[in-house]
Amino acid sequence: SGKEITYLGNGRWGGWSGLHQPAGASEDAFNFRSPDKALLVNLVYGANFDEQSENSYIGIEVKIAGVSVFLGRGEMTNQSGQFLSFPYNLGPFLIPKRSTVQIIVTSSDAAVDQYVMLNGEEI
């Protein structure tokens, strides 16, 4: 786990961010420079919703070359764990070659574990 992606062979790349608890703030799940070829990437975002308190939010943002290309937020609306309009999978999407990629998770609740998994293929 870590903030980089790993070359897996045969033009495939992947990574797991490890668990993050942003504790009322934001932190990088990934922060890397893409390889010398463009990548077609799938992203899975997960969170331990059982740990989230009422009226708190979690979120994920994807930035490529410093530009926000995706922003998702989910809010706990009541104690039964109801969420409204929140994506868990993103992709496939294109990451240009030699681009900085930053994937940020955020939470208003200190106890929520979050993670991001990436897998991509050179194109």
Side-chain angles (χ1 to χ4, degrees):
S1 66
K3 294 183 177 163
E4 297 286 329
I5 57 174
T6 302
Y7 185 66
L8 304 173
N10 296 324
R12 300 204 45 90
W13 293 78
W16 182 62
S17 68
L19 291 177
H20 295 271
Q21 288 183 335
S26 297
E27 63 183 55
D28 287 349
F30 282 96
N31 193 336
F32 62 91
R33 185 172 179 87
S34 61
D36 289 337
K37 293 187 178 180
L39 298 176
L40 193 60
V41 174
N42 288 294
L43 177 152
V44 174
Y45 168 71
N48 186 350
F49 303 129
D50 291 338
E51 295 175 344
Q52 190 165 357
S53 59
E54 185 174 354
N55 297 319
S56 64
Y57 67 86
I58 58 173
I60 184 170
E61 181 176 16
V62 177
K63 289 183 177 183
I64 298 176
V67 176
S68 182
V69 296
F70 177 80
L71 177 63
R73 295 281 187 263
E75 182 177 359
M76 178 71 74
T77 56
N78 59 47
Q79 290 182 334
S80 67
Q82 306 280 328
F83 280 85
L84 301 175
S85 301
F86 194 78
Y88 301 104
N89 296 298
L90 178 63
F93 63 95
L94 181 68
I95 297 175
K97 64 182 179 180
R98 296 186 298 273
S99 295
T100 57
V101 178
Q102 185 181 16
I103 300 174
I104 305 158
V105 293
T106 187
S107 174
S108 63
D109 192 328
V112 180
D113 289 329
Q114 299 177 71
Y115 67 88
V116 176
M117 293 185 296
L118 293 176
N119 70 69
E121 190 168 342
E122 295 175 352
I123 55 170

